[in-house]
Structures are given as C-alpha cells and as structure tokens.
Amino acid sequence: MKPLSTFLFSIVLFSLTSSCQKDEVGENFTNESTYLIDLDLAKETNWIIADEILVLINEHRGSIGLSEIKRDSDYSSAYAVEHTKNMIEENHVSHDNFNVRSAALKERGAYYVAENVAAGYANANDVVRAWLNSPSHRKIIEGSYTHSGFGVVMNNSGIYFFTQLFSNNNN
C-alpha cells in the first residue's frame, strides 16, 4: 500500500508545481489609457520572494552577458497581482486575459511583453530553477526585457502562485 500512496503523492506534487509562459510583440499604443488598474494591488505581492526572484534572474542574465531587469512596482506588478489572484480563484495556472495585461503595458510604453506563471513552488530558488529548466520560460528570462512586475501571492492552503510580467520599456 505504501507504493500507491507514494505514487498518489507524486501526482499531487506534480500538479501543484507547474509553470507556464506567454510572450507577445507589438506596436506601442499611444492613446489615453483604457486599461485601468488599482496600483495598490502591487502592495499585495510578497516582495521578499519577488525581490529574490529578480536577484536570481538578474544573476542568470549577468552570467550570459545580458543587462539587468529593473523592478516595476507599479503597473506591471498591479496587473501581475490581479492575474495571480485570478489564478488562485480558479485554482489553476493560466495566461487567461494576457492580451489585456499586454495591451495595458504597451499603452504605457512597453514594446515587448511576456509573462511566466507558476504555482506550487515553496520559494524563489525553486520557481526560478523550474523556469530556467524550461526552454520556453528560459527564452523569456533571457529576452530583451528591461522591466519586470510580480504577483507572488499565497492561497488559503499555503500554496504560492506566481506571475512575472516582463516588458521592454523604451521610455
């Protein structure tokens, strides 16, 4: 009976530690913003873990000759937290409505926008390691991005959900 319980635990663990990526390139929007967001949402991210993620990603980027990404504690993080909270509500990792987040950041000067999402990792090191071990996530981490926002939020069961938005801001 012990092997069956180990097998079931492995399935549960695998389903809880998942990640996904999405990227999009497009033209800048120049009209007045139609994508409103409460900037106070950015305060809901776990900034200790988010800053650790950024340090790890910048260390990786530096090791291959890429420039550092700067933290966007405003719009990008507010959109990231909003999406993370939606993933928690739906209890699954997704890129639902990525086009809205992308368009909103493009209105504010971004040319390239991408995101990596995940759930079930206990700390920054684990989620960054998982992203770097995935070619599609690594491609985003190593992309031509200048800024990043974070939605790192724990659900009621103590499981972290992650959204990291990347943008190339030419302003």
Side-chain angles (χ1 to χ4, degrees):
M1 199 60 150
K2 201 163 197 145
L4 178 59
S5 64
T6 303
F7 175 73
L8 291 175
F9 175 75
S10 298
I11 290 174
V12 170
L13 181 61
F14 178 75
S15 68
L16 289 177
T17 55
S18 59
S19 59
C20 194
Q21 58 77 36
K22 179 82 172 172
D23 59 3
E24 182 176 291
V25 176
E27 296 299 320
N28 286 334
F29 291 83
T30 56
N31 58 342
E32 190 171 320
S33 178
T34 56
Y35 300 97
L36 303 177
I37 188 81
D38 179 0
L39 292 179
D40 284 339
L41 282 170
K43 296 175 185 174
E44 296 182 36
T45 202
N46 181 322
W47 281 110
I48 293 170
I49 294 176
D51 286 340
E52 290 172 358
I53 291 170
L54 188 58
V55 165
L56 292 167
I57 285 176
N58 280 333
E59 285 175 357
H60 172 75
R61 288 174 61 88
S63 74
I64 58 172
L66 297 174
S67 61
E68 284 193 353
I69 294 175
K70 296 175 185 164
R71 179 171 88 161
D72 176 351
S73 303
D74 293 322
Y75 287 99
S76 190
S77 291
Y79 285 109
V81 168
E82 180 182 59
H83 179 60
T84 301
K85 290 172 79 170
N86 286 337
M87 290 192 305
I88 288 170
E89 187 176 308
E90 298 292 324
N91 197 33
H92 79 281
V93 174
S94 75
H95 292 287
D96 293 351
N97 301 311
F98 172 73
N99 59 327
V100 173
R101 292 183 294 285
S102 177
L105 293 175
K106 288 175 184 176
E107 274 193 350
R108 290 173 174 78
Y111 185 71
Y112 303 108
V113 178
E115 74 181 9
N116 284 340
V117 294
Y121 297 96
N123 56 54
N125 192 52
D126 290 348
V127 73
V128 171
R129 185 179 324 121
W131 284 337
L132 289 174
N133 286 329
S134 162
S136 57
H137 293 90
R138 177 187 286 265
K139 180 180 174 187
I140 289 175
I141 288 170
E142 296 175 354
S144 298
Y145 300 105
T146 58
H147 292 79
S148 185
F150 295 90
V152 180
V153 181
M154 183 185 287
N155 72 5
N156 291 333
S157 301
I159 297 169
Y160 279 107
F161 283 70
F162 303 85
T163 301
Q164 184 176 9
L165 280 167
F166 295 81
S167 62
N168 184 324
N169 298 355
N170 22 346
N171 53 10

